[in-house]
Amino acid sequence: MRAHDPERRLGAAELGTGLGRRATLVQFSTAFCQPCRATRRTLSDVAGMVEGVAHIEIDAEERLELVRELDIRRTPTVLVLDSAGRVVTRASGAPRKADVIAALGRAV
C-alpha cells in the first residue's frame, strides 16, 4: 500500500455514508471483478476485528466522477482513511489482511 495526498478528505457526501470512528476502508469495485470479492471479505474481516473501523464498498461504474477525481485506474482499489477522512494509504489489487492491518496502524 502506498501513501496518498495527505490533504485530500472524503466524507459522507462523497462516500454515501458516514466514516468509521477511527478509520474507514473504502473499496472501489466493479460487478464482475473476481479480486473484488476476495477484497470485500478481507476488508470486512478486518473492519469486524478492529473497533471503530468501517468498510465501505463503492461501485466504480456508478461513481465515475469520484473515480476520475481520485484517479482510480483499476479494481479493486482500496483507500484507507483516518477519522477525519484523509486518504493516508491507497493500494490496487487484492490486499493481504496483514497489509490492511498495517495500513490501519498509520490511520489510527
Side-chain angles (χ1 to χ4, degrees):
M1 294 192 148
R2 65 182 171 90
H4 191 62
D5 178 4
E7 299 305 313
R8 179 66 173 114
R9 292 178 191 235
L10 298 172
E14 294 87 3
L15 302 175
T17 188
L19 298 172
R21 184 174 46 78
R22 296 179 66 200
T24 305
L25 303 170
V26 180
Q27 174 184 348
F28 286 86
S29 299
T30 51
F32 298 104
C33 166
Q34 287 290 357
C36 293
R37 294 178 189 154
T39 299
R40 179 183 310 119
R41 283 190 300 276
T42 299
L43 298 182
S44 292
D45 287 350
V46 171
M49 290 171 26
V50 183
E51 185 179 337
V53 173
H55 170 224
I56 299 170
E57 187 171 3
I58 295 174
D59 184 328
E61 294 170 330
E62 291 180 4
R63 303 292 308 278
L64 288 176
E65 185 175 317
L66 185 60
V67 164
R68 288 183 188 112
E69 179 184 334
L70 296 172
D71 196 29
I72 305 297
R73 296 178 181 233
R74 61 182 278 209
T75 58
T77 291
V78 177
L79 306 179
V80 179
L81 311 180
D82 66 11
S83 61
R86 285 185 295 264
V87 178
V88 296
T89 306
R90 76 183 273 158
S92 294
R96 296 178 315 138
K97 189 180 286 189
D99 294 333
V100 175
I101 293 168
L104 278 175
R106 292 188 292 275
V108 295

